[in-house]
Amino acid sequence: MKTIIEPFKIKSVEPIKFTTPEEREEVLRRGFYNLFLVPAEDVLIDLLTDSGTAAMSAAQWAGIMQGDESYAGARSFYRFEKKVKELTGFTNVIPTHQGRAAEKILFSLVAGKGKFIPNNSHFDTTRANVEFAGGEAVDLPTAEGQDPEAIADFKGNMDTLALEAFIRKTGRENIPLCMITITNNSGGGQPVSMENIRETHRICRKYGIPLFLDACRFAENAYFIKKRETGYADKPVKEIVQEMFSYADGATMSAKKDAIVNMGGFLGLNDESLAARARNLLIVTEGFPTYGGLAGRDLEAIAQGLDEVLDEHYLQYRIRSVEYLGERLVKAGVPILLPPGGHAIYLNARKFLPQIPPEQFPGQSLVVELYRRGGIRSVEIGSVMFGRMTAAGTFVPARMELVRLAIPRRVYTQSHIDYVIEVVVECFERRGDFPGYRIIEEPPMLRHFTAKFAPIR
Ligand SMILES: *Cc1c(COP(=O)(O)O)cnc(C)c1O
């Protein structure tokens, strides 16, 4: 088998800035050891997120020039709507400025007090929108999905036995809809099988509960199904996508992921009366239903991106480049969450830095060292993000201490990834020297974005 290469050539480039160790030390100090507070310009390889960080294609940029900016009924809207309908089959397609705007509208309408929304794993904005509306977000991942070292094909699956038990206990009238997140972002970018989507659909149908997909990475999920699930090897990814959506009554989507654009999203729905109410809310907060918070040019770029993301050479390269990073790290003995997901590698910081206790934030320590040694920006997903203090002042750590290396779409080449591997391996060899951190200032909510840290010497 030959090397799987980037299925594109580069037409336009953006320089990245090299810094000296002294400069990086100063950047860290000025940013209080929080990489969210570091200017992107001072980052060499930015793996903070795969959301909205993709490189658009020449055809997408051409679409930007062709965008129809008419207030109502823009040609670009109809192109976007046609593409989304072709893939999803939903009768109503409502554009929003990003995924969370679709979530906000949907859950404002259905998730009031006393309502429960089950999901394989809620993404943080999804959970926040359910809770903000007064409802309760319930995660039902499988047991293997929660084991960072279990190797399995579909660790993103919903625990369907738990789902049915939950519906019986809670009462179908208290569950306005059920969701499946593909791929399961909070669970490590792990895919969900078609069988699991079908079974979830069957259970939902039995109890009369609509099923929605949180469809941000639908194409990556479909590609995993093609590669791993019996019966799909010879099916075009597009048909797999259409089958996945055929089991759903609606979807929320962040176009910043698998539509390969920098901003955008949509809400898809089959329920006409819910769609009418959603459009009324859209007009208040986002805009008229044929643009919904986006410019016509954005809708063009999304329509084009939804085509490009289904190119199987693209998907092969995408999934393989993440797997390659994971494989090389495993070979060097670096502990990661297994198997590699679709959009990111998660370093297991608890194993990487066992000498740093969770209350001294091993993930944060590793994030700082990756920048210090290589100018790489990553993100802590551990006790900085999810740890908390009880009223009595005891520290409750996160379930896992992870550092996510998210791979932007079509942005970095294999040599960039090789460099990342070298830096991670160097950190692994020097791991005994890394300090823990303490928080010197933090906001009351979502502290990881703005907290200030100091090393514990
Ligand atoms: C990114 C993401 C969202 C939210 O989308 P935004 O465009 O960032 O608002 C929702 N769900 C999942 C699974 C995501 O990855």
Side-chain angles (χ1 to χ4, degrees), residues 4 6 10 69-70 78 89 125 144 157 185 189 192 242 268 317 372 390 426 451 454:
I4 294 166
E6 287 82 7
I10 296 167
E69 305 303 342
S70 304
Y78 293 117
T125 61
E144 72 185 4
N157 280 354
N185 189 3
V192 177
Q242 287 165 331
Y317 139 80
R372 174 176 278 140
T390 62
E426 182 190 314

Side-chain angles (χ1 to χ4, degrees), residues 125-440:
T125 61
T126 321
R127 168 175 294 278
N129 275 303
V130 170
E131 290 171 355
F132 190 75
E136 211 166 304
V138 180
D139 289 345
L140 300 171
T142 58
E144 72 185 4
Q146 296 177 75
D147 175 350
E149 270 144 45
I151 307 265
D153 285 340
F154 293 104
K155 286 175 77 175
N157 280 354
M158 169 89 79
D159 183 338
T160 49
L161 289 178
L163 174 66
E164 185 152 18
F166 179 78
I167 296 170
R168 285 169 185 259
K169 186 183 79 181
T170 311
R172 64 112 5 247
E173 66 284 1
N174 299 315
I175 305 176
L177 61 86
C178 172
M179 248 187 163
I180 300 188
T181 305
I182 56 172
T183 56
N184 189 336
N185 189 3
S186 308
Q190 300 292 323
V192 177
S193 71
M194 190 73 84
E195 191 199 349
N196 191 254
I197 298 173
R198 203 182 294 123
E199 175 62 8
T200 305
H201 163 79
R202 190 191 65 76
I203 293 169
C204 286
R205 186 52 52 94
K206 177 171 162 191
Y207 294 93
I209 297 168
L211 175 61
F212 275 62
L213 297 180
D214 178 340
C216 299
R217 297 179 182 79
F218 71 94
E220 291 170 11
N221 199 84
Y223 190 73
F224 278 117
I225 288 175
K226 182 178 173 103
K227 288 288 136 184
R228 296 181 180 177
E229 193 161 347
T230 314
Y232 289 94
D234 298 324
K235 268 213 166 149
V237 168
K238 186 169 171 184
E239 282 176 28
I240 299 175
V241 166
Q242 287 165 331
E243 184 182 344
M244 288 183 334
F245 281 110
S246 74
Y247 299 120
D249 303 287
T252 56
M253 169 79 188
S254 169
K256 300 170 75 170
K257 304 356 180 318
D258 269 356
I260 327 188
V261 295
N262 306 117
M263 192 51 72
F266 62 81
L267 174 61
L269 289 164
N270 283 337
D271 180 328
E272 298 296 327
S273 94
L274 187 59
R277 286 186 294 141
R279 288 198 177 94
N280 288 337
L281 268 188
L282 186 84
I283 290 177
V284 180
T285 60
E286 290 279 298
F288 188 72
T290 63
Y291 70 85
L294 292 171
R297 53 180 169 269
D298 296 326
L299 295 166
E300 282 289 334
I302 293 171
Q304 178 64 26
L306 288 174
D307 245 349
E308 292 177 9
V309 79
L310 298 178
D311 172 6
E312 300 195 13
H313 288 292
Y314 161 76
L315 285 167
Q316 179 188 41
Y317 139 80
R318 169 76 179 153
I319 301 302
R320 176 60 195 154
S321 51
V322 175
E323 183 186 60
Y324 170 81
L325 170 58
E327 231 170 63
R328 299 285 288 268
L329 293 177
V330 168
K331 205 170 273 176
V334 176
I336 66 168
L337 200 136
L338 291 168
H343 68 288
I345 290 295
Y346 296 70
L347 305 174
N348 185 344
R350 192 170 285 172
K351 283 200 145 179
F352 201 114
L353 298 172
Q355 78 276 19
I356 302 179
E359 59 271 29
Q360 293 183 15
F361 309 118
Q364 192 62 26
S365 177
L366 186 47
V367 164
V368 169
E369 295 302 328
L370 289 169
Y371 180 77
R372 174 176 278 140
R373 282 152 204 276
I376 296 168
R377 177 153 68 175
S378 55
V379 65
E380 193 260 15
I381 301 187
S383 287
V384 175
M385 207 179 265
F386 299 121
R388 59 190 177 84
M389 284 290 183
T390 62
T394 0
F395 174 79
V396 184
R399 203 164 53 78
M400 292 192 267
E401 303 293 339
L402 303 174
V403 169
R404 186 182 71 185
L405 307 171
I407 312 299
R409 292 169 180 77
R410 305 191 294 209
V411 171
Y412 295 116
T413 63
Q414 182 168 351
S415 52
H416 290 117
I417 298 297
D418 283 334
Y419 171 84
V420 170
I421 293 161
E422 287 165 16
V423 174
V424 175
V425 171
E426 182 190 314
C427 284
F428 191 58
E429 284 160 359
R430 308 268 172 90
R431 63 193 183 278
D433 306 338
F434 302 168
Y437 285 78
R438 64 193 166 83
I439 293 180
I440 55 176

